Amino acid sequence: MGNRPAIVLVHGFWGGAAHWSKVIVELSRKGYGPGDLRAVEVPLTSLADDAERTRKMVRQIDGPVVLVGHSYGGAVITEAGDLPNVVGLVYIAAFAPDAGESPGGITQQHPPAAAANLAPDSDGYLWVKPDKFHESFCQDLTAEEGLVMGVTQKAPLASTFGNTITAPAWKTKPCWYQISSEDRMIHPDNQKLMSERMKPRKIITLAAGHASLASKPAEVAALIDEAATSLG
């Protein structure tokens, strides 16, 4: 792989590490081997828990790391990106909160189109209604892919939405951002606001739903590779 950093992929709400499967394949075609790629499985129980799980994986890597976060995973990399071997951050249709901000607070500024399709259960977990998952999360994937994603969704504890960032890593680390213009889970206007204020090295906009990592994997992998190559 040359001098490129390792890449750690962080999933968001309503999915797991396997949401990155198509991006992993695309990165492998660009020369990243199994030892160069990690996809952390975070518990979605609190921002502190999820950031610490991510830090533990990063600490296992001997050398520089680029953290990549999708959706709520952007909040995780914002919190966990303070480790010294993290050299860059890539946000994929993701939250990038500032200090004291939470994903829930940002969401309320511009509620997304699919907000009404979220439903809490009696144990405190928040779900995307299974029959609404395809149209809400990944309308640009096939109905079959949407079915599988909806049935296998990993619900967060609803309280995680209100967890706030302490010291945002994007203020001190180089960053990149991909906006999904057809996103129904994080309003595109929120993505524009968050991306522009962090003054990233690059912003790209894809005509994609929230699951751009699955519907536009080549483009997403190209942005990740561009970030890693520039930091190598």
Side-chain angles (χ1 to χ4, degrees):
M1 198 175 72
N3 295 320
R4 290 183 295 190
I7 294 170
V8 173
L9 306 165
V10 185
H11 67 83
F13 290 157
W14 304 297
H19 269 199
W20 292 104
S21 58
K22 293 182 182 180
V23 170
I24 291 166
V25 170
E26 292 291 340
L27 288 171
S28 75
R29 291 173 178 157
K30 295 179 181 297
Y32 295 86
D36 309 317
L37 299 171
R38 308 282 177 90
V40 63
E41 189 76 37
V42 293
L44 303 182
T45 47
S46 72
L47 180 60
D49 291 346
D50 299 332
E52 185 55 29
R53 180 68 195 92
T54 302
R55 288 189 187 102
K56 285 180 177 178
M57 180 166 281
V58 172
R59 291 187 189 109
Q60 294 294 323
I61 298 172
D62 183 19
V65 169
V66 171
L67 282 176
V68 185
H70 172 244
S71 187
Y72 162 76
V76 177
I77 69 172
T78 298
E79 187 75 6
D82 55 349
L83 291 177
N85 63 323
V86 173
V87 295
L89 309 167
V90 183
Y91 292 81
I92 305 301
F95 287 109
D98 203 343
E101 289 183 344
S102 68
I106 292 169
T107 298
Q108 289 172 5
Q109 294 174 26
H110 295 283
N117 296 336
L118 304 180
D121 68 15
S122 58
D123 293 316
Y125 291 88
L126 190 65
W127 299 83
V128 181
K129 296 175 184 176
D131 61 329
K132 301 290 187 181
F133 195 96
H134 183 218
E135 67 182 69
S136 302
F137 197 94
C138 53
Q139 73 273 20
D140 46 352
L141 295 179
T142 67
E144 288 78 11
E145 287 177 300
L147 172 66
V148 172
M149 276 192 170
V151 171
T152 62
Q153 67 176 289
K154 183 176 181 178
L157 280 175
S159 56
T160 307
F161 254 118
N163 295 164
T164 56
I165 295 293
T166 54
W170 52 260
K171 288 192 173 180
T172 59
K173 305 286 175 84
C175 50
W176 288 256
Y177 197 104
Q178 177 258 305
I179 295 169
S180 286
S181 65
E182 311 305 312
D183 202 313
R184 298 174 182 174
M185 300 298 295
I186 301 178
H187 199 294
D189 287 351
N190 274 335
Q191 295 183 39
K192 291 174 187 173
L193 288 168
M194 289 185 286
S195 60
E196 288 171 0
R197 72 179 178 183
M198 67 165 63
K199 297 179 173 58
R201 293 194 178 181
K202 187 172 188 176
I203 299 173
I204 67 168
T205 300
L206 299 178
H210 189 55
S212 54
L213 74 180
S215 64
K216 302 284 187 182
E219 294 88 341
V220 169
L223 182 65
I224 296 168
D225 177 56
E226 182 177 325
T229 300
S230 72
L231 295 167

